[in-house]
Amino acid sequence: MEGQSNDDLHLGEMLDVYRPVLVDSVIATELLPSLTDVVSGSDAEKVRNVTRQNSNRAGTEYLLEVLVERKEVPGRWRMLVNALKKHGYESLSMILEGEMEMEDRDRNKRIINIFMVELRQGINPLEILPSLIQKGVLGQEDKENITAENRNNGALAASAVLLDRIQRKKSDWYSLFLQTLAENRFGHLAEKIDPDFMKKWKIRNEEEERRERLELHTMENYDSDFGEALSDIKQMNRTPNVHQDFNTEVKTTEKLVENLKLEKTGDSNDEETVTEVKQTQTASRQPTEHDELSEPLPPSSPSLSPTPVTIHSHQSASVTSTPSETTLVYQRVERGGPDLSLFRYQEELAQPGIDGHNSIVVAPTNSGKTHVAIKIMQHHLRKCHSKMIFLVPTSALATQQRDRCYELLKCQAKVMTGESQARDKYVDMSIHLKNHDIIVATPQILVNCLLSEDVSMSDFSLIVFDECHRTYEDTPYNNVMRLYLDLKLTEENASLPQILGMTASLGSGNAKCQSGADDWVKHLMNNMDTQKLVTVKENIEELQAKINNTDTEIVLTKERLNPVFGKLVNNIMAVIEKNIQDADGELRRPPAVRDGERYTEWCSTLKKQITSTPDNDLHRSLKIYTDYLEVYHRALIIYRDARSSDALQYLKEEMDEMFFEETAVETDHKMHKLFEDNQPLMESENSQDNPKLHQVQVRLSAVFRNEPDSRAIIYVKTIDLARFLEVWMNECPELQPLNAVRFVGAHARVGIGGITKVVQDTILKAFRDGTHKVVIGTSVLEEGLDIPRCNLVILYDHVTNEIQRVQTRGRIRRDNSHFVLIASETGQAAKKEQVNEIREEMGSAAIERVQNEIDRDPRGFLQRQQAEQLKEKQKRDAAEKIEREMLLNSPVYQVKCNHCRSLLCLSSDLRKIKVHHTIVAGGMKDTLMSGPRGKPSYQDKDMEHGVAELYCKDCKTHIGSINKSMSLYFPMPRIDQIVFSRENNIKACKKWKNVQSLFGIKQFCPIEDMRLIMSLPTEDKDFYTK
């Protein structure tokens, strides 16, 4: 170390620490001109050769090795840092010199990596290249490489190079890149990546316009006389009159006027906000430790004399409360059943809703949030004599919440879900509202009824959103709230229902930092139009005493010792991959690990790339290859998690489904023969052992040996795996007495392992009473279902996000319970669980931070919220305007089968019936084929859905369904089964809403389109009428 300066010694130490970062980021050949004093001649040439023949990483590794060996050159590390500065690697040089934190750089890099696929497909690299060069994010050598890549391998490959290189140089590359996107018609991508950045960027560029808009919307009347100002403030805090009695409204009005006077005179006293109303609370009995959560008091005489109350617990023990032991309870039978008694922490959660505020209640699973909601509903029933709707995300939850409403409120609630409509004759929601005070429904049902004007928002005094963390983007929950907000922002005196959301976790929105998690929570509050984020604060000890806090035990397992089946499938997949590369060398090469998530993503990307292949024969061959590759990929996943016999059984079933002799082409025969040749070898694997299955057996046996009346839930990723684990457990002699059963979504077809709603209800009942002691479930079991006796939860190598982490842990309902993650030591599940733990903490902190923000400045929070709501509405209006304009001058595309590329119809033949898409044209019998007519899968006011299956007539592939409406049978193609072709360019759309970027689709006209159908030749007309 002799002869080295302190500066060089320090830099050498920093370079040793951050060496992996340099290897990932630096292109060594760019630095060579500035390192001639330490790297020259043969060494410099070797750096160039290694970079060219191997990779940038290898070249940088070699350069650093050369520098390490040049100990005799003084100041060599300073030379390297100066070279980094000179060639644009500012962020790295700042990190090495201690001027920038590594976590800032890594955060931005991770964010870009998350959106890598969308960016590659969405940007035009040559279009944004000049701006990035001008800003110094990229240099001349970058330009040459990106341009050459675009010329040789296309825009996707060039985008990948550009996205790799932007991260290497300037410290502020991230903001400059987003700014470039926004300036070059790619602002929608920048907004998706970093909404907070785009918000600030737009503020800087549209400050005057935004100020005028905000002033117009929220402040236009503040400088007018008190009467006008009061009208404005009442609008800002508007809830239906049914939420507050007259006296409360008068007090609120007086308070608002007083605050406005203080504001106008410059008084800054903010001890009470403009929305606070003091209310006198009546004392109520506090449940004892023996109570079941929020058990209703038994009915008694309507007199107001004090009476003893018998309270029943889960363990069937009883405690009789007398006037000497507890606060006297006065009981009377009223509308909405007997008074619902709550724990103190539940009363705290319910109070904002009882006061009439839109609110989101966040409390742990098993804390009795449903009882909180029903207490607020009881308040509405008694005070307003109004109608309410309780929204739930799944049909299984609908039945549960209906029963709970009847149990606690003593009134009938009507269930309306897709499954209930399939079983029963459809009846309008408006008819049910005449006979029921409460509707329990899945959200899409309400969306459909609102759009068809069967009901309106004013028909309800309260909408409850169970699992309200789903209220974002284009989910049915958010679509309900968009209709609500459209009404709020366009009609000054609109009668709007109160909004109540319930969840165990709002999550963090995949945020990478705490401020991102804060923004996500505020975003959900904006969507739900709430200013009250309610958590337990005053009675936290009581809450914690009711909740089971079980730590996660992580069990890592080894791989199979002799994976014969796995090796055979890997070899088959390698053959198919080579066939794909030989057919089209431009397609991206697959990941090396074929049973992981990256391979799943690669298959998905491959299918999108294949869609744009113009040659029909080549496209069909590539699609067949890809379909078989996906099947083998899923078989490997089953093999990884189940037995080899299960994976082979899955392969046999899929091969039978995929191969049709009458429509098979050469590639089909080739793939079928490949499987038949390898099948005997696959069957030769004798060992059925799987280390993960062994751990499941060990855990179950231990728990049920110590406590025979236990209940266990095993969470798995796929329906297929649930099916095979069920078979394995019921074939295993030691586990057979547990009578394991699978529980999956009711929307999954029975033929692929799904179960019906009736079977779901039967399974849950049998699980509660002990007929089934183990349930193997997919994500449908994560939310809301009340399974009180569960004391073992196993995550079977499957981890999702922080919200599901909270939900699955919430299935634990007993003391001395176990929460176990069984995962392969080579997989990513254990790491994901650790990340989710961090994100869960971020989400909890975000709630507290947002609550503090509201407490500090409630009016400012409300104004910012309304400004965001207005901005989102303007976006929706602009999108609708674009759709209308597309209809006026819409190009005509050919609509083709995504499998065989045969012509089905023209884009001008497409029609929308409400939110559904169909075809109205002659000649359909020549391009489409209907399966046998049968009972609809479900029905609504406008349509009977799924009365038959729809097939492409040429390749016999299932591409959609036949729905019945207006006494006609309409073909309903699925968007993922068709493509759109024009001038040899082929486009595929993930959702129907994306089609509007290509062309407009007309609404079905009952006069013109019906006239067209009835005027068709008899054979063509029969397609719609018979």
Side-chain angles (χ1 to χ4, degrees):
M1 303 299 253
E2 190 176 347
Q4 282 191 290
S5 66
N6 289 334
D7 174 63
D8 215 44
L9 284 172
H10 173 70
L11 289 175
E13 292 171 354
M14 294 294 285
L15 281 159
D16 188 48
V17 172
Y18 291 115
R19 180 168 179 152
V21 181
L22 267 72
V23 170
D24 279 337
S25 304
V26 174
I27 300 174
T29 53
E30 294 181 352
L31 306 184
L32 291 178
S34 300
L35 295 173
T36 53
D37 290 341
V38 63
V39 182
S40 60
S42 60
D43 286 326
E45 189 60 32
K46 181 71 177 292
V47 170
R48 293 188 183 95
N49 289 337
V50 171
T51 301
R52 182 169 57 252
Q53 295 172 7
N54 297 308
S55 65
N56 290 330
R57 288 176 54 88
T60 305
E61 283 277 18
Y62 184 77
L63 172 63
L64 294 176
E65 287 300 324
V66 171
L67 290 172
V68 169
E69 294 172 3
R70 295 288 189 270
K71 295 178 181 179
E72 73 281 2
V73 180
R76 67 190 189 279
W77 300 124
R78 170 53 64 186
M79 293 179 193
L80 176 60
V81 172
N82 289 341
L84 290 172
K85 289 182 181 179
K86 182 176 180 179
H87 294 277
Y89 296 98
E90 291 179 7
S91 60
L92 283 176
S93 64
M94 292 173 69
I95 290 170
L96 294 172
E97 292 182 319
E99 298 176 5
M100 178 180 175
E101 292 294 330
M102 183 67 204
E103 61 185 24
D104 296 334
R105 180 183 180 277
D106 280 354
R107 169 191 172 273
N108 295 335
K109 187 175 179 179
R110 287 196 299 271
I111 290 174
I112 294 299
N113 287 340
I114 289 171
F115 294 96
M116 183 65 72
V117 173
E118 291 177 70
L119 282 168
R120 285 185 60 189
Q121 295 174 348
I123 64 174
N124 182 332
L126 299 187
E127 185 176 337
I128 64 175
L129 188 55
S131 181
L132 291 172
I133 293 173
Q134 182 184 14
K135 292 178 173 63
V137 179
L138 297 175
Q140 191 61 34
E141 184 174 344
D142 297 315
K143 177 182 177 181
E144 293 171 0
N145 279 276
I146 292 166
T147 304
E149 191 72 18
N150 188 79
R151 182 172 58 252
N152 297 330
N153 299 311
L156 279 175
S159 296
V161 175
L162 182 145
L163 293 169
D164 177 59
R165 294 202 171 209
I166 59 171
Q167 307 173 17
R168 299 174 181 271
K169 297 183 178 179
K170 292 184 74 69
S171 58
D172 55 348
W173 65 268
Y174 177 75
S175 60
L176 292 173
F177 174 61
L178 294 183
Q179 181 181 338
T180 299
L181 292 180
E183 293 170 348
N184 289 273
R185 73 179 179 87
F186 302 111
H188 62 289
L189 290 172
E191 186 148 17
K192 190 167 187 179
I193 294 168
D194 196 331
D196 189 53
F197 170 86
M198 283 300 295
K199 187 190 305 179
K200 295 174 182 176
W201 184 84
K202 288 178 180 178
I203 289 173
R204 287 198 304 271
N205 289 272
E206 304 174 12
E207 185 173 356
E208 291 300 323
E209 181 183 346
R210 284 177 58 83
R211 184 182 296 117
E212 291 174 5
R213 188 162 64 243
L214 289 175
E215 289 175 357
L216 177 65
H217 183 60
T218 61
M219 302 294 291
E220 61 183 349
N221 292 323
Y222 279 14
D223 294 325
S224 63
D225 60 71
F226 289 150
E228 291 175 333
L230 176 59
S231 174
D232 185 66
I233 294 175
K234 289 176 82 173
Q235 176 68 14
M236 289 166 57
N237 295 281
R238 182 175 62 225
T239 55
N241 291 340
V242 294
H243 299 157
Q244 300 180 10
D245 60 27
F246 179 76
N247 291 332
T248 301
E249 286 197 13
V250 170
K251 292 178 182 178
T252 304
T253 301
E254 292 171 350
K255 188 66 188 174
L256 293 174
V257 173
E258 183 63 26
N259 279 348
L260 186 60
K261 290 178 180 177
L262 290 175
E263 184 184 66
K264 282 184 167 287
T265 58
D267 194 328
S268 60
N269 185 352
D270 59 353
E271 290 181 2
E272 295 183 358
T273 70
V274 294
T275 56
E276 287 178 335
V277 179
K278 292 185 177 180
Q279 295 189 353
T280 303
Q281 311 263 336
T282 57
S284 63
R285 182 187 67 83
Q286 300 302 328
T288 72
E289 62 182 358
H290 300 286
D291 291 3
E292 181 176 354
L293 287 182
S294 310
E295 188 74 33
L297 298 174
S300 66
S301 168
S303 68
L304 296 180
S305 57
T307 57
V309 180
T310 302
I311 307 165
H312 298 283
S313 72
H314 280 300
Q315 289 77 24
S316 298
S318 64
V319 177
T320 301
S321 300
T322 66
S324 62
E325 294 173 329
T326 186
T327 304
L328 297 180
V329 181
Y330 296 92
Q331 297 187 85
R332 60 186 177 188
V333 178
E334 291 191 56
R335 188 169 186 261
D339 282 335
L340 180 60
S341 176
L342 300 180
F343 289 101
R344 287 188 296 272
Y345 73 82
Q346 291 174 317
E347 291 177 344
E348 182 181 346
L349 293 172
Q351 195 57 53
I354 291 174
D355 291 343
H357 296 292
N358 286 0
S359 54
I360 295 176
V361 173
V362 184
T365 304
N366 199 32
S367 61
K369 291 187 294 296
T370 300
H371 292 75
V372 171
I374 291 179
K375 181 68 173 181
I376 297 170
M377 294 167 69
Q378 186 178 64
H379 177 76
H380 275 255
L381 282 170
R382 291 182 174 178
K383 184 177 180 180
C384 313
H385 300 280
S386 54
K387 307 293 184 177
M388 292 161 284
I389 185 164
F390 197 130
L391 299 180
V392 293
T394 66
S395 297
L397 266 176
T399 303
Q400 176 180 297
Q401 303 299 42
R402 176 203 62 193
D403 294 344
R404 194 63 55 84
C405 287
Y406 177 73
E407 173 192 351
L408 300 180
L409 297 178
K410 304 305 178 188
C411 65
Q412 295 286 348
K414 178 62 183 178
V415 168
M416 293 187 71
T417 66
E419 286 69 30
S420 70
Q421 292 179 2
R423 295 193 308 268
D424 309 324
K425 184 178 180 181
Y426 178 81
V427 177
D428 286 346
M429 184 180 288
S430 57
I431 300 299
H432 288 310
L433 279 176
K434 294 178 180 178
N435 302 311
H436 300 84
D437 290 327
I438 300 169
I439 302 291
V440 182
T442 45
Q444 190 60 49
I445 296 293
L446 179 56
V447 170
N448 295 345
C449 291
L450 289 169
L451 290 176
S452 66
E453 299 182 354
D454 173 41
V455 295
S456 66
M457 286 289 177
S458 61
D459 290 329
F460 305 101
S461 73
L462 175 69
I463 302 180
V464 180
F465 291 77
D466 199 4
E467 313 298 347
C468 67
H469 54 266
R470 294 167 170 258
T471 313
Y472 63 93
E473 294 182 355
D474 292 321
T475 63
Y477 270 7
N478 206 32
N479 288 334
V480 171
M481 285 308 303
R482 283 173 176 172
L483 294 170
Y484 171 102
L485 289 169
D486 285 347
L487 197 61
K488 173 187 172 182
L489 295 172
T490 55
E491 295 188 21
E492 183 176 354
N493 296 314
S495 177
L496 295 171
Q498 181 181 350
I499 301 299
L500 174 64
M502 303 187 300
T503 183
S505 171
L506 290 174
S508 63
N510 290 327
K512 303 302 176 185
C513 59
Q514 187 59 57
S515 63
D518 298 351
D519 289 341
W520 174 253
V521 170
K522 287 185 277 190
H523 176 66
L524 290 177
M525 292 183 71
N526 294 346
N527 290 349
M528 295 202 67
D529 196 36
T530 60
Q531 299 84 46
K532 294 290 183 180
L533 188 55
V534 189
T535 57
V536 176
K537 292 186 176 181
E538 296 178 3
N539 300 285
I540 192 67
E541 292 182 0
E542 182 189 46
L543 170 65
Q544 290 174 343
K546 300 294 179 185
I547 305 303
N548 291 310
N549 293 313
T550 305
D551 292 333
T552 303
E553 179 185 359
I554 299 177
V555 179
L556 298 179
T557 62
K558 302 285 185 182
E559 297 299 310
R560 279 184 171 90
L561 294 177
N562 186 25
V564 175
F565 181 93
K567 290 177 180 178
L568 286 168
V569 173
N570 267 285
N571 291 338
I572 292 172
M573 293 174 75
V575 171
I576 300 175
E577 290 164 1
K578 185 176 185 305
N579 289 337
I580 291 174
Q581 288 296 326
D582 291 343
D584 190 341
E586 292 188 3
L587 297 175
R588 195 179 73 179
R589 293 188 178 277
V593 178
R594 296 187 174 94
D595 62 354
E597 290 183 5
R598 285 189 60 202
Y599 201 92
T600 305
E601 294 169 1
W602 176 79
C603 286
S604 178
T605 302
L606 182 64
K607 291 174 76 173
K608 293 177 184 176
Q609 291 177 301
I610 288 172
T611 298
S612 60
T613 304
D615 184 288
N616 289 344
D617 292 336
L618 176 60
H619 166 265
R620 185 161 188 180
S621 293
L622 288 173
K623 190 172 189 314
I624 292 168
Y625 286 140
T626 306
D627 289 344
Y628 276 88
L629 206 55
E630 277 194 308
V631 168
Y632 284 115
H633 166 59
R634 289 194 290 267
L636 269 187
I637 293 174
I638 293 171
Y639 178 68
R640 180 189 67 194
D641 295 331
R643 301 170 297 182
S644 59
S645 58
D646 299 324
L648 180 58
Q649 177 64 27
Y650 170 80
L651 277 180
K652 290 178 179 178
E653 292 170 357
E654 289 298 312
M655 294 302 165
D656 289 342
E657 287 285 328
M658 294 173 71
F659 185 76
F660 298 97
E661 184 69 46
E662 60 186 74
T663 59
V665 296
E666 181 182 354
T667 309
D668 286 302
H669 288 287
K670 185 176 180 180
M671 290 295 96
H672 193 64
K673 185 175 186 304
L674 184 61
F675 172 71
E676 288 184 330
D677 291 345
N678 283 274
Q679 183 177 345
L681 298 174
M682 294 178 185
E683 294 171 343
S684 68
E685 181 168 334
N686 295 322
S687 175
Q688 296 293 325
D689 292 338
N690 186 315
K692 282 188 281 191
L693 290 179
H694 175 69
Q695 283 297 328
V696 171
Q697 183 174 346
V698 168
R699 297 287 158 169
L700 289 172
S701 299
V703 167
F704 282 92
R705 188 182 307 115
N706 295 329
E707 195 172 349
D709 198 34
S710 294
R711 302 288 187 278
I713 299 176
I714 303 174
Y715 286 100
V716 298
K717 186 174 183 179
T718 66
I719 292 175
D720 292 316
L721 184 56
R723 176 165 61 103
F724 289 123
L725 283 190
E726 177 189 29
V727 172
W728 165 70
M729 289 189 65
N730 289 315
E731 289 178 356
C732 177
E734 189 174 354
L735 301 180
Q736 278 179 348
L738 304 181
N739 196 19
V741 64
R742 73 181 184 276
F743 187 98
V744 297
H747 286 291
R749 288 186 292 117
V750 175
I752 61 171
I755 59 176
T756 65
K757 175 64 174 59
V758 174
V759 175
Q760 279 186 340
D761 294 341
T762 302
I763 289 172
L764 288 178
K765 183 178 183 300
F767 186 53
R768 292 186 182 104
D769 66 26
T771 304
H772 298 296
K773 295 191 174 182
V774 177
V775 169
I776 306 156
T778 53
S779 59
V780 71
L781 263 178
E782 289 169 355
E783 292 184 331
L785 292 176
D786 182 18
I787 307 168
R789 300 180 64 81
C790 182
N791 59 317
L792 172 63
V793 169
I794 296 176
L795 301 182
Y796 194 69
D797 211 353
H798 174 46
V799 176
T800 51
N801 59 36
E802 69 273 21
I803 294 177
Q804 272 63 48
R805 182 177 191 268
V806 173
Q807 299 284 4
T808 52
R809 288 167 64 86
R811 298 307 105 209
I812 295 288
R813 300 293 174 97
R814 294 164 69 176
D815 295 332
N816 301 317
S817 298
H818 307 273
F819 188 82
V820 183
L821 168 62
I822 297 176
S824 168
E825 63 181 6
T826 60
Q828 298 296 312
K831 292 181 182 178
K832 281 187 178 180
E833 178 67 11
Q834 293 169 350
V835 170
N836 286 342
E837 184 176 359
I838 295 171
R839 284 182 171 163
E840 183 182 338
E841 293 171 356
M842 286 173 56
S844 299
I847 290 173
E848 185 173 352
R849 286 159 64 96
V850 172
Q851 287 174 325
N852 293 337
E853 180 182 337
I854 297 171
D855 291 341
R856 286 193 303 270
D857 184 14
R859 177 176 291 179
F861 182 87
L862 176 60
Q863 292 173 356
R864 290 189 294 274
Q865 183 180 83
Q866 289 190 320
E868 286 299 313
Q869 290 172 344
L870 181 60
K871 184 173 72 173
E872 289 299 316
K873 185 181 187 317
Q874 289 171 338
K875 287 181 184 177
R876 295 195 296 274
D877 292 344
E880 290 176 5
K881 182 180 178 182
I882 292 172
E883 186 175 0
R884 289 194 298 269
E885 290 174 350
M886 286 292 294
L887 281 173
L888 297 177
N889 189 23
S890 192
V892 177
Y893 282 75
Q894 292 182 323
V895 182
K896 296 184 175 182
C897 171
N898 191 25
H899 301 265
C900 66
R901 291 290 174 84
S902 61
L903 179 66
L904 302 179
C905 66
L906 299 177
S907 59
S908 55
D909 299 327
L910 294 173
R911 296 289 185 273
K912 285 196 293 188
I913 302 178
K914 301 296 184 182
V915 296
H916 309 289
H917 294 79
T918 188
I919 304 170
V920 176
M924 290 298 95
K925 63 179 179 59
D926 300 320
T927 62
L928 299 173
M929 184 172 67
S930 170
R933 304 278 198 259
K935 184 180 178 182
S937 57
Y938 74 99
Q939 65 183 68
D940 54 31
K941 180 180 180 180
D942 303 303
M943 193 171 291
E944 294 179 17
H945 298 259
V947 297
E949 293 187 328
L950 181 67
Y951 298 89
C952 168
K953 193 161 188 177
D954 280 1
C955 66
K956 306 299 187 293
T957 301
H958 175 245
I959 62 170
S961 64
I962 300 288
N963 293 0
K964 187 178 181 180
S965 180
M966 297 170 278
S967 300
L968 298 177
Y969 295 95
F970 290 97
M972 301 283 179
R974 280 172 41 188
I975 188 63
D976 61 336
Q977 300 300 316
I978 57 178
V979 293
F980 307 101
S981 174
R982 186 168 182 261
E983 297 176 355
N984 293 324
N985 290 322
I986 296 175
K987 303 287 186 181
C989 295
K990 189 175 182 180
K991 297 181 178 180
W992 275 107
K993 69 174 187 176
N994 302 132
V995 175
Q996 70 181 28
S997 64
L998 303 177
F999 54 84
I1001 301 178
K1002 296 179 181 179
Q1003 286 287 346
F1004 181 87
C1005 177
I1007 298 175
E1008 293 180 6
D1009 290 318
M1010 289 285 276
R1011 182 182 293 136
L1012 171 62
I1013 292 172
M1014 293 307 166
S1015 65
L1016 293 173
T1018 302
E1019 290 185 355
D1020 289 337
K1021 182 170 64 175
D1022 287 348
F1023 183 87
Y1024 292 94
T1025 58
K1026 292 185 178 180

